[in-house]
């Protein structure tokens, strides 16, 4: 085993939305920081607008069980310097204050141990760094302002606007973490304005989309942080008192060691708990791997008479938050609706699997690709004891046991799914769609190392610090106590800055 | 559709060596026989192999074929293979290459040649030009029996007018350059032809040095010929070319799609992955012939009138063989290879011969499988597993089919053409319904 003899202040495992902002903030504060990323480094130009050839996903096998088994791979898991921000949709609604107090409001789910105002201050700081395009006025938050004008709407967005208007549902341009004008990103260079190519999920080739490798990581490096790509962390070393002293990682087949004074696991809602369970660490609560959550992400599709060509343009260019707390519903929480632009291969897979289609019906729909349009939701998912990540008996190439994730909708998710199907079907009928049908889908990997105030019920405290090991921190979507309807990346980046500040404020 | 065949001659020859081959091929496509620089009376030039490939790029690009084949003889064969490698790597000049034919071809590796003979041939230029006797020695040594007149005089005449720089450049350098790594493995269909009486570049050398570079290739040996195949056996050579090239041309992507793919709206990497996927898949070895047949029948039922069932079954077998899946699997199913063999075997058992059923019966059975209402004693999978596997199978079938360039062309999808390798990517200027840009003209007029 080889390794750096020097002990650094901080090692961060993972370079995505959880790890990169705190890397920048800690480096700026003068700490020595090493970021270890399992995947390789890309230039924007390296990305390829092809669904099978895009190589920015975590494609190592995970086992998925339960009655609503969720898809991994390209659906929700990133790999590469930038983590999941390489493929994220950049759709970035802010977390709703009611969602952070869901238990107080509804008696279901969990409250967050962080006040909404405090979180939003960090969200605001994140938005100022990454650059967000959005509407001049945001109907559900009159005070909100976005730095950049909205990107062009595409055909499904226009259809959704039409349908919503007919039904009296407010809808507007979606907040999108991409630049609608050329914009200089400090320490990186000029991010070119979005060109409406529609390939956000295959990797942004112009730098328009906010990814950590074109924003937070260059900032971190400018302040002395080191980002090491292709480093797979396989072990965590501890001293006699159980404190972390370093990590062991494999780079190109060679085992190496990096000593550190504090360790931040930011590897996402699957790899973070998987590593802890494999090493049997930080789990005196028995909560590691529990409460896995995936957003209800039902879609409704239909045929239009018009030539839609939905692959053009920013995919999620329209939003409504009107359903965040709909009247007269039988579910806790709510959901966001967005217009969809889905690439052919993803669509084909979702139609075959999620809509249960095959035969002439499937061929006819796929042949009609250019005339299809869809809308979809991102809906609350309640934490549940039945939904958890455990270790399978099979091991990966590094000898670590693979993750098995069991996920089944509960009554609340079914109720949201049902409500959303009815709402979206009505919108699509009003928009002029024909042959309307729904696709089952869930998205994002949330929970599994939740934060809380009680060490018996949570893995980390509100600062992201392990209740068991005082120099071990977690910062990614695994710490979410509840799912929130908002897509997670913006909140993860905000938590990342907060975790850095709390670390700086509380370290000895 | 602009369909062309480009012919590259051997050392010391010229475009004329193809005359009697081309006579037989005029209905296959427009035949373009080229004089390599320094031969056939063209200006002499000192080009290494990379220079020759660049020269060919210019020749091909000037004629903008959408669907083309390259036929390379001896020295021309090395150039042909390296052009195919550049096509594989997304070079726009070589976009649309559908087939390769090698005749007694020099390989990407250093060409096997006795140093004594090499020195002798280089020495022919010591007095400034190749003499008639030397040219006759060269031609006669490379034919099984002496060529009849006037062909022999034509062949020797071409040797005599070889340019010194080109002749010596090939013998001293080009034939010795090692391009094996750059050539790598090619998926373009190749026909590799050897003369039964050839020496250094005969069948054994072709199998050893050229065949390993082609994933989808066959070797043919032409009797009664040594090295100068186009002169010695033009009819046999033409028949082989026709037989190889016609089906490859038949698989060509539609002309507007091919033109868009070759344009500066597409990056090299994107062009390379799309062309690679358009080629036949690498051979798979997870599924038995029986399982492949069941899978082909399943493909036909899942995507009737869509996918080519045998081709798609081959692609899924190749995917299983590579071990690269989609990042997850059902916890209630075994690893992919075992899941597919068990699923296909169980399906066959449930049907009592799935491939032999009518499409209506197959469809009915799949509905029962999807309802988890069918099981069979002794089958590998129970009803619940079959339901899960069928969901996985139909998603994978749909995924593989949708990703094919031919399917993109079929549905009028142009989302791959959103940015080339230049500093400014093009993207889309129009995103609203019922508006398209001038370049979006993929659909064949109906």
């Amino acid at each position: 085993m080889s390794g750096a003899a020097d002990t650094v202040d901080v090692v961060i495992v993972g370079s995505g939305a959880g790890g990169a902002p705190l890397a920048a903030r800690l480096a700026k504060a003068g700490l020595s920081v090493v970021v270890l990323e399992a995947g390789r480094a890309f230039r924007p130009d390296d990305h390829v607008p092809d669904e099978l050839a895009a190589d920015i996903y975590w494609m190592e096998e995970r086992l998925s069980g339960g009655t609503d088994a969720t898809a991994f791979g390209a659906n929700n898991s990133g790999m590469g310097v930038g983590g999941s921000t390489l493929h994220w949709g950049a759709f970035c609604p802010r977390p709703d204050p009611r969602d952070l107090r869901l238990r107080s409001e509804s008696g279901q789910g969990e409250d967050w141990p962080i006040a909404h105002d405090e979180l939003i201050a960090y969200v605001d700081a994140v938005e100022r760094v990454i650059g967000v395009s959005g509407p001049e006025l945001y109907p559900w938050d009159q005070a909100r302002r976005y730095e950049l004008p909205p990107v062009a709407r595409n055909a499904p967005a226009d259809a959704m606007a039409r349908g919503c208007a007919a039904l009296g549902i407010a809808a507007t341009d979606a907040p999108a973490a991409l630049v609608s004008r050329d914009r200089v990103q400090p320490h990186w260079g000029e991010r070119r304005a979005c060109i409406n190519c529609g390939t956000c999920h295959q990797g942004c080739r112009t730098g328009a989309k906010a990814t950590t490798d074109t924003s937070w990581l260059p900032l971190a490096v400018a302040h002395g942080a080191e980002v090491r790509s292709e480093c797979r962390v396989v072990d965590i070393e501890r001293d006699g008192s159980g404190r972390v002293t370093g990590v062991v990682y494999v780079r190109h087949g060679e085992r190496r060691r990096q000593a550190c004074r504090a360790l931040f696991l930011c590897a996402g809602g699957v790899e973070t708990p998987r590593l802890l369970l494999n090493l049997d660490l930080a789990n005196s609560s028995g909560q590691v791997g529990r409460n896995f959550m995936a957003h209800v992400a039902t879609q409704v599709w239909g045929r239009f008479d018009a030539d839609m060509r939905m692959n053009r343009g920013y995919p999620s260019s329209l939003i409504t938050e009107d359903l965040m707390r709909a009247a007269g519903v039988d579910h806790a929480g709510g959901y966001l609706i967005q217009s969809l632009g889905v690439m052919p291969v993803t669509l084909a897979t979702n139609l075959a699997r999620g809509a249960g289609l095959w035969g002439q019906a499937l061929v006819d729909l796929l042949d009609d690709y250019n005339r299809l349009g869809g809308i979809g939701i991102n809906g609350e998912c309640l934490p549940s004891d039945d939904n958890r990540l455990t270790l399978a008996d099979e091991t990966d190439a590094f000898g670590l046991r693979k993750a098995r994730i069991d996920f089944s909708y509960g009554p609340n998710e079914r109720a949201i799914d049902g409500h959303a199907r009815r709402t979206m079907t009505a919108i699509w009928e009003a928009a002029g769609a024909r042959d309307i049908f729904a696709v089952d889908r869930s998205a994002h990997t949330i929970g599994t190392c939740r934060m809380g105030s009680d060490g018996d019920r949570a893995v980390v405290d509100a600062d992201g610090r392990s209740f068991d090991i005082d120099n071990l921190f977690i910062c990614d979507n695994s710490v979410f106590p509840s799912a929130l309807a908002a897509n997670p990346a913006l909140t993860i980046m905000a938590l990342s800055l907060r975790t850095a500040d709390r670390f700086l404020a509380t370290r000895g | 559709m602009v369909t062309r065949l480009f012919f590259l001659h051997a050392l010391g020859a010229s475009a004329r060596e193809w005359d009697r081959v081309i006579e037989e091929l005029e209905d296959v496509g427009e035949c373009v026989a080229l004089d390599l620089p320094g031969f056939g009376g063209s200006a002499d030039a000192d080009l290494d192999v990379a220079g020759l490939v660049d020269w060919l790029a210019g020749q091909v690009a000037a004629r903008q074929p959408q669907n083309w084949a390259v036929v390379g003889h001896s020295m021309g064969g090395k150039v042909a293979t390296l052009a195919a490698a550049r096509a594989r790597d997304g070079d726009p000049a070589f976009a649309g290459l559908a087939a390769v034919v090698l005749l007694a071809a020099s390989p990407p590796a250093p060409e096997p040649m006795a140093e004594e003979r090499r020195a002798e041939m280089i020495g022919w230029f010591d007095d400034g030009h190749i003499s008639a006797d030397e040219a006759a020695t060269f031609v006669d040594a490379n034919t099984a029996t002496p060529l009849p007149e006037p062909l022999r005089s034509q062949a020797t005449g071409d040797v005599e007018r070889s340019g010194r720089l080109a002749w010596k450049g090939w013998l001293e350098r080009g034939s010795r350059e090692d391009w094996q790594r750059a050539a790598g493995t090619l998926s373009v269909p190749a026909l590799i032809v050897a003369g039964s009486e050839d020496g250094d570049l005969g069948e054994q050398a072709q199998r050893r040095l050229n065949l390993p570079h082609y994933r989808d290739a066959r070797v043919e040996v032409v009797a009664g010929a040594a090295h100068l195949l186009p002169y010695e056996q033009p009819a046999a050579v033409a028949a082989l070319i026709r037989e190889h090239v016609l089906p490859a041309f038949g698989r060509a992507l539609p002309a507007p799609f091919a033109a868009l793919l070759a344009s500066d709206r597409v990056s090299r990497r994107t062009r390379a992955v799309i062309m690679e996927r358009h080629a036949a898949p690498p051979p798979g070895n997870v599924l038995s012939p029986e399982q492949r047949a069941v899978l082909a029948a399943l493909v036909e039922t899942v995507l009737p009138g869509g996918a080519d069932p045998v081709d798609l079954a081959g692609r899924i077998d190749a995917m299983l063989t590579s071990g690269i899946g989609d990042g997850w699997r059902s916890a209630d199913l075994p690893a992919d290879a075992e899941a597919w063999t068990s699923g296909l075997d169980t399906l066959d058992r449930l049907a009592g011969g799935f491939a032999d059923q009518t499409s209506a019966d197959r469809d009915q059975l799949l509905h029962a499988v999807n309802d988890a209402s069918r099981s069979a004693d002794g089958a590998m999978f129970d009803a619940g597993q079959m339901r899960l596997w069928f969901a996985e199978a139909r998603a994978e079938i749909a995924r593989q089919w949708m990703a094919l360039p031919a399917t993109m062309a079929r549905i009028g999808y142009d989302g791959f053409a959103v940015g080339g390798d230049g500093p400014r990517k093009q993207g889309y200027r129009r995103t609203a319904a019922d508006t398209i840009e001038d370049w979006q003209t993929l659909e064949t007029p109906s």
Side-chain angles (χ1 to χ4, degrees):
Chain A
M1 178 138 51
S2 66
D6 293 347
T7 299
V8 295
D9 291 324
V10 166
V11 163
I12 298 168
V13 181
S15 64
L22 72 85
R25 187 152 286 196
L26 295 181
K28 204 170 175 181
L31 276 63
S32 53
V33 173
V34 169
V35 179
L36 299 175
E37 163 57 46
R40 64 189 179 94
F42 296 88
R43 291 178 303 118
D45 233 2
D46 293 336
H47 300 308
V48 54
D50 180 277
E51 293 172 89
L52 292 198
D55 48 2
I56 54 177
Y57 314 111
W58 190 285
M59 297 301 271
E60 294 177 21
E61 191 172 70
R62 294 158 175 174
L63 277 62
S64 195
T67 55
D68 299 277
T70 197
F72 295 96
N75 189 41
N76 49 22
S77 309
M79 184 186 252
V81 174
S84 288
T85 66
L86 291 174
H87 79 258
W88 76 311
F91 184 72
C92 64
R94 291 180 171 187
D96 188 294
R98 295 164 295 188
D99 283 359
L100 269 72
R101 308 257 311 144
L102 190 63
R103 186 165 196 87
S104 299
E105 177 192 90
S106 70
Q108 301 202 64
E110 292 289 335
D111 288 351
W112 282 46
I114 299 172
H116 185 259
D117 285 353
E118 186 188 357
L119 186 61
I120 287 299
Y122 285 104
V123 165
D124 194 57
V126 168
E127 289 179 348
R128 273 183 277 120
V129 171
I130 65 178
V132 177
S133 300
E136 196 173 342
L137 282 175
Y138 200 67
W140 307 278
D141 182 2
Q142 298 292 335
R144 192 184 303 184
R145 294 293 177 268
Y146 286 108
E147 175 192 332
L148 298 155
V151 292
R153 292 183 186 184
N154 63 2
D158 288 336
M160 177 174 152
R162 215 161 54 228
C164 286
L167 299 179
I169 296 172
T172 190
D173 299 291
L178 43 81
V179 297
S180 51
R181 291 195 290 246
D182 290 0
R183 178 182 188 268
V184 171
Q185 188 72 38
H187 310 294
W188 188 73
E190 187 177 61
R191 288 167 59 197
R192 296 280 169 85
C194 176
I195 56 168
N196 311 310
C197 73
T199 63
C200 298
H201 296 291
Q202 289 74 44
C204 182
R205 299 183 69 231
T206 68
K209 188 179 79 169
T211 58
T212 62
D213 64 328
T214 58
S215 55
W216 301 103
L217 294 172
L219 179 61
V221 169
H223 289 96
E226 185 192 347
V227 180
R228 289 184 204 154
S229 60
E230 299 175 78
C231 295
R232 175 67 67 91
V233 173
V234 294
D235 202 0
I236 297 172
E237 298 186 325
R238 290 177 303 151
D239 64 17
S241 68
R243 299 188 87 236
V244 173
T245 55
V247 296
V248 177
Y249 62 94
V250 177
R251 185 167 205 276
H252 299 169
E254 186 193 358
R255 282 174 80 89
R256 299 186 185 194
R257 171 187 292 133
Q258 175 62 56
C260 61
R261 295 185 185 87
L263 175 63
F264 288 76
L265 293 182
C266 310
V270 174
E271 294 309 315
T272 290
R274 181 166 87 98
L275 186 62
L276 290 176
L277 288 174
N278 264 287
L279 302 178
D280 195 20
L281 281 183
N283 196 22
S284 67
S285 63
Q287 290 287 317
V288 174
R290 289 194 178 272
N291 301 304
F292 176 87
M293 295 171 278
H295 285 120
V296 181
T298 312
Q299 302 175 341
V300 163
W301 289 88
R303 282 189 170 92
F304 288 83
D305 292 331
D307 192 28
M308 304 288 279
R309 297 179 182 249
M310 62 168 158
N311 62 290
R312 300 178 302 173
Y314 173 60
S316 324
S317 47
L318 208 82
I319 186 172
T320 176
E321 292 200 13
D322 268 15
L323 286 306
M324 282 297 290
R325 291 297 181 274
V329 299
D330 55 356
H331 59 256
Y335 57 94
L336 305 166
I337 303 180
Q338 66 187 72
S339 57
L340 299 175
V342 174
M343 296 287 167
V345 173
T346 305
L347 181 77
T349 310
N350 287 344
L351 295 187
R353 188 192 295 281
L357 290 172
W358 72 86
Q360 203 59 51
L362 179 60
V363 173
D364 288 348
L365 273 173
L366 295 176
D367 274 340
D368 255 358
Y369 176 81
N370 278 344
R371 293 185 179 271
L372 298 183
I375 42 177
I377 68 160
N378 210 59
E380 182 67 72
C381 174
L382 297 180
S384 162
D385 265 352
D386 297 331
N387 293 334
R388 61 186 294 199
L389 180 152
T390 54
L391 297 179
D393 292 334
E394 298 169 38
T395 55
D396 68 8
F398 300 91
L400 297 179
R401 288 164 70 189
K402 295 181 182 179
R404 172 186 172 136
I405 296 94
D406 285 278
F407 182 70
S408 305
Y409 282 172
N412 204 65
E413 288 75 39
R414 297 247 172 265
I416 286 180
D417 174 57
H419 191 275
R421 283 173 190 241
R422 292 189 294 278
T423 308
M424 291 192 288
T425 300
I427 293 171
W428 237 215
E429 282 170 352
R434 293 176 285 110
D435 307 331
I436 297 169
F437 64 96
V439 173
D440 286 324
R441 189 174 160 266
S442 56
H444 307 128
T445 62
I446 310 167
T448 70
C449 290
R450 70 180 177 187
M451 63 172 155
S453 47
D454 177 353
D456 291 332
R457 295 189 68 241
V459 179
V460 295
D461 66 17
D463 296 346
R465 185 191 303 264
S466 161
F467 284 107
D468 295 353
I469 303 172
D470 72 358
N471 67 342
L472 174 67
F473 297 78
I474 300 175
C475 184
D476 53 32
N477 43 4
S478 62
V479 304
F480 283 28
S482 73
L484 313 178
N487 298 49
L490 182 65
T491 304
I492 299 170
M493 286 189 255
L495 274 181
S496 184
L497 291 184
R498 183 182 183 277
T499 302
D501 278 357
R502 296 302 302 157
F503 177 74
L504 292 169
T506 58
R507 77 192 177 113
Chain B
M1 177 76 71
V2 183
T3 302
R4 293 198 165 100
L5 293 90
F6 290 84
F7 292 83
L8 304 175
H9 61 74
L11 178 72
S14 77
R16 297 191 295 181
E17 75 165 31
W18 301 106
D19 287 350
R20 291 189 304 153
V21 175
I22 287 172
E23 272 173 20
E24 315 264 335
L25 295 174
E26 272 160 6
D27 58 314
V28 174
E30 189 198 331
C31 293
V32 181
L34 298 168
D35 285 325
L36 271 65
F39 299 101
S42 66
D44 198 11
D46 185 16
L47 296 178
D48 57 10
V49 171
L52 287 166
V53 180
D54 287 341
W55 163 81
L56 178 61
Q59 297 293 319
V60 173
R63 292 166 176 83
Q64 298 193 323
Q66 285 142 349
N67 190 14
W68 63 286
V70 61
V71 184
H73 179 204
S74 191
M75 168 186 181
K78 187 167 189 169
V79 179
T81 292
L82 294 168
R86 289 202 0 200
R88 173 201 58 205
D89 297 337
D91 186 334
F94 293 120
L97 177 65
V100 170
V101 179
L102 301 180
L103 303 181
S106 185
E111 182 180 318
M113 191 187 303
E115 285 310 314
E116 202 171 278
R117 200 160 68 83
R118 185 193 309 273
E120 180 194 347
M121 290 194 287
I122 292 169
W124 289 345
F125 261 106
D126 286 350
D127 54 359
H129 67 279
I130 301 178
S131 71
D133 282 353
E134 288 159 348
T137 303
F138 180 81
V139 169
D140 292 342
N142 280 305
T143 48
T145 54
L147 292 176
E149 290 299 348
L151 295 177
R152 184 167 176 274
S153 297
Q154 179 183 309
T156 56
D158 276 342
V159 176
E160 285 180 71
R161 60 176 174 157
S162 298
R164 185 178 64 85
L165 296 173
W167 179 272
K168 291 181 70 171
W170 174 256
L171 288 169
E172 288 175 346
R173 200 176 53 225
S175 63
R176 286 171 153 153
E177 288 180 27
D178 187 349
W179 285 86
Q180 293 175 86
R181 187 188 285 269
T185 304
L186 299 159
S187 57
V188 63
L191 167 67
I192 298 173
V193 183
S196 65
E197 312 295 315
D198 201 351
D200 287 341
L201 290 174
E203 181 186 356
Q204 290 316 310
Q206 295 305 323
R207 289 190 182 279
R208 185 166 59 86
L209 296 171
N210 271 320
L211 186 60
H213 289 290
Y214 289 93
R215 200 174 75 198
D216 177 15
R218 67 194 172 91
V219 175
E220 292 283 345
V221 178
V222 172
H227 191 64
L228 300 187
L229 288 148
Y231 275 124
E232 299 178 87
Q233 296 293 342
V237 166
L240 285 169
I241 293 173
R242 168 188 296 276
E243 190 186 323
H244 178 64
V245 164
L246 271 180
F249 282 168
R251 291 191 68 254
L253 292 161
F257 190 93
L260 182 58
L261 191 58
S263 77
D264 69 359
R265 298 190 62 90
V266 179
S267 74
R268 280 176 185 254
R269 188 174 174 214
T270 307
R271 190 178 297 113
V273 299
I274 287 180
M275 288 317 299
E276 174 70 16
R277 200 176 298 140
H278 182 61
N285 57 29
V286 167
L287 304 180
S288 68
E290 295 74 21
Q291 287 161 344
R292 279 244 208 169
V294 174
L295 177 52
L298 179 62
V299 169
E300 205 169 12
T301 317
V302 169
L303 295 172
D308 170 348
V310 172
D311 175 81
L312 212 75
R315 290 175 188 277
I316 288 171
D317 197 8
M319 180 274 294
L320 295 172
T321 303
S322 76
I324 299 166
D326 59 1
W328 68 286
R329 72 170 208 256
S330 167
D332 295 324
L333 294 177
D336 281 351
E338 189 189 337
W340 281 80
T341 53
S342 298
L344 291 167
D345 288 348
T346 304
L347 187 65
D348 203 35
R349 184 187 282 239
L350 290 175
F354 187 75
D356 299 329
Q357 283 191 318
T358 64
S359 54
D361 286 345
R362 287 183 204 152
D363 195 54
Q364 197 175 13
L365 174 61
L366 292 179
H367 278 279
V369 166
N370 196 43
D371 297 337
S373 63
R374 282 293 288 275
S375 59
D377 290 341
M380 309 289 289
F381 278 167
D382 63 24
Q385 287 175 309
M386 277 306 282
R387 180 176 187 278
L388 290 168
W389 172 74
F390 177 47
E392 167 69 22
R394 64 178 189 262
E396 185 62 29
I397 289 168
R399 186 172 89 110
Q400 295 276 348
W401 180 60
M402 211 63 204
L404 294 176
T407 311
M408 296 180 194
R410 169 179 167 135
I411 67 167
Y413 175 73
D414 53 34
F416 58 90
V418 290
D421 294 309
R424 282 274 174 189
K425 313 300 178 201
Q426 293 92 335
Y428 290 105
R429 285 183 292 106
R430 295 173 185 272
T431 57
D434 284 332
T435 61
I436 59 169
E437 298 164 43
D438 291 345
W439 61 271
Q440 294 183 278
T441 49
L442 278 188
E443 279 149 349
T444 27
S446 52

